[in-house]
């Protein structure tokens, strides 16, 4: 081929210029396109869902405070005796995330204790948010990491297997109620630049209305998002607190975690938040209120003469007339959890005062009567008792315990001439002395 047969070529610089203009035009068109179209393109290109995640308008979560102070229900001595029972005195090896979540929820991330055998708030927090701490505890067992590092954020491994958080979003809800900051660091396996915000973002992305458990999702979102009331989830689906309310009230009353009581607490919490931030429509608020009124009527009729509520409390009077064979811990679950939501609910949603006082008396006596081994076995349930009773005294466990411990120091056991505790002052005796001090 001769020179005259060759086709003219664009200069290299011109080719680059054309490509730059083309890429810029595509980028500009993408930027100016509707948000949903942009997310669809990103899903196709990256094979992942990309959310328009609402930025929480706060770095610290909301707090729903108790409404009452009833020393006629719970004395200082009663509360101190119960809180001593639910101090987070856990073995460090193979520490159960569910226990830690329940403990940090009631004691808070800033709780401090003088007893070295008791995990303080920072230790509880770090076990949940730092993979290195978790791995140290579970070094002798082959378990999956608690923190699941993903391209889009940090998820929490939950389920029935050892080392997992038991319930979906319970990790997030517990740390949120514990007062953790949105910018608190989360150290996942191989990722050390994440924060609680990354966990919340992933929870928003993962949420689906057909999940088996939405109680803790409602709590976590309710304490971070308001005044935002709508958000976008996986697949671009729009969600709202109205939809959460509708999901929470679906199904049989006894269905759901802890005899159906967690959904009751979540609804009471959302109503309190709605009082200030108007996150619910009038229709959704009415649905939630009607549900809680039905719960009020059911527990008014289903309480036993000794003060406890049974696991089949929704049956109302029939629960007393034809009682089920509950184990005591099931009665503790129902009674403690009902006292907890009642402490944040307005008075018109309460059964009569004498019934609340009777329930408090029953659960105090049962809790104080447990051995340390029995408390440890059922810690998650008794932690709700400690929190409920503190709320009924218009305080929080760590706040009360700090004051109480300062005014009631534990006396050291007497020592012999060598400075060694006397022979008859065993560890169990020292525990008995501490209990006597509290009573």
């Amino acid at each position: 081929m001769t020179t005259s047969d060759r086709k003219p070529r664009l200069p290299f610089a011109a080719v680059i210029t054309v490509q730059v203009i083309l890429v810029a035009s595509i980028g500009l068109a993408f930027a100016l396109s509707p948000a949903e179209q942009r997310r669809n393109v990103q899903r196709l290109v990256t094979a992942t869902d990309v959310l328009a995640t609402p930025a929480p308008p706060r770095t610290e979560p909301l707090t729903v405070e108790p409404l009452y102070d009833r020393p006629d229900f719970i004395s200082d001595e009663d509360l101190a005796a119960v809180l001593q029972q639910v101090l987070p005195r856990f073995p460090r090896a193979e520490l159960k995330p569910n226990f830690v979540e329940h403990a940090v929820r009631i004691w808070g991330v800033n709780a401090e204790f003088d007893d070295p055998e008791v995990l303080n708030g920072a230790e509880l927090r770090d076990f949940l948010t730092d993979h290195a701490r978790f791995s140290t505890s579970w070094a002798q067992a082959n378990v999956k990491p608690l923190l699941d590092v993903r391209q889009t954020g940090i998820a929490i491994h939950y389920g029935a297997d050892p080392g997992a958080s038991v319930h979906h979003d319970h990790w997030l809800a517990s740390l949120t109620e514990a007062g953790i900051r949105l910018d608190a660091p989360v150290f996942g396996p191989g990722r050390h630049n994440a924060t609680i915000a990354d966990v919340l973002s992933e929870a928003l992305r993962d949420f689906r209305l057909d999940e088996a458990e939405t109680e803790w999702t409602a709590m976590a979102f309710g304490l971070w998002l308001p005044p935002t009331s709508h958000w976008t989830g996986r697949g671009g689906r729009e969600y709202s607190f109205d939809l959460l309310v509708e999901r929470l009230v679906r199904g049989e009353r006894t269905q759901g975690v802890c005899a159906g009581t967690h959904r009751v607490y979540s609804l009471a919490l959302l109503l309190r938040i709605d009082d200030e931030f108007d996150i619910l429509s009038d229709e959704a608020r009415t649905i939630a209120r009607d549900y809680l009124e039905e719960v009020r009527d059911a527990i008014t009729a289903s309480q036993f003469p000794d003060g406890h509520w049974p696991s089949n409390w929704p049956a109302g009077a029939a629960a007393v007339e034809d009682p089920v064979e509950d184990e005591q811990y099931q009665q503790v679950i129902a009674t403690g959890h009902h006292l907890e939501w009642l402490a944040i609910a307005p008075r018109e949603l309460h059964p009569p005062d004498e019934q609340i006082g009777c329930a408090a008396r029953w659960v105090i006596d049962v809790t104080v009567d447990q051995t340390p081994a029995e408390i440890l076995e059922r810690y998650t349930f008794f932690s709700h008792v400690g929190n409920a009773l503190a709320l009924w005294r218009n305080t929080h466990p760590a706040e009360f315990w700090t004051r109480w411990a300062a005014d009631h120091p534990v006396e050291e056991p007497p020592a012999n001439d060598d400075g060694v505790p006397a022979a008859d002052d065993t560890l169990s005796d020292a525990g008995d002395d501490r209990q006597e001090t509290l009573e």
Side-chain angles (χ1 to χ4, degrees), residues 99-129:
F99 282 27
V100 177
E101 290 162 13
H102 277 82
V104 77
R105 171 184 178 256
I106 72 167
W107 290 105
V109 294
N110 298 316
E112 296 183 355
F113 306 102
D114 292 333
D115 188 341
E117 294 184 1
V118 178
L119 278 72
N120 63 38
E123 291 175 297
L124 297 169
R125 176 203 64 204
D126 291 347
F127 171 81
L128 295 173
T129 60

Side-chain angles (χ1 to χ4, degrees), residues 46-68:
T46 65
T48 61
D49 286 330
V50 181
L51 306 183
T53 305
R58 56 187 52 83
T59 56
E60 295 183 0
L62 297 171
T63 301
V64 175
E65 295 293 344
L67 297 173
Y68 314 98

Side-chain angles (χ1 to χ4, degrees), residues 11 35 87 138 155 168 202 224 250 288 294 302 331 345 355 380 388 406 434:
L87 289 169
W138 287 89
H168 186 222
E202 192 67 7
W224 283 116
R250 280 204 323 243
E294 292 172 5
S302 64
Q331 299 169 358
Q355 288 190 267
T380 58
R434 287 193 291 269

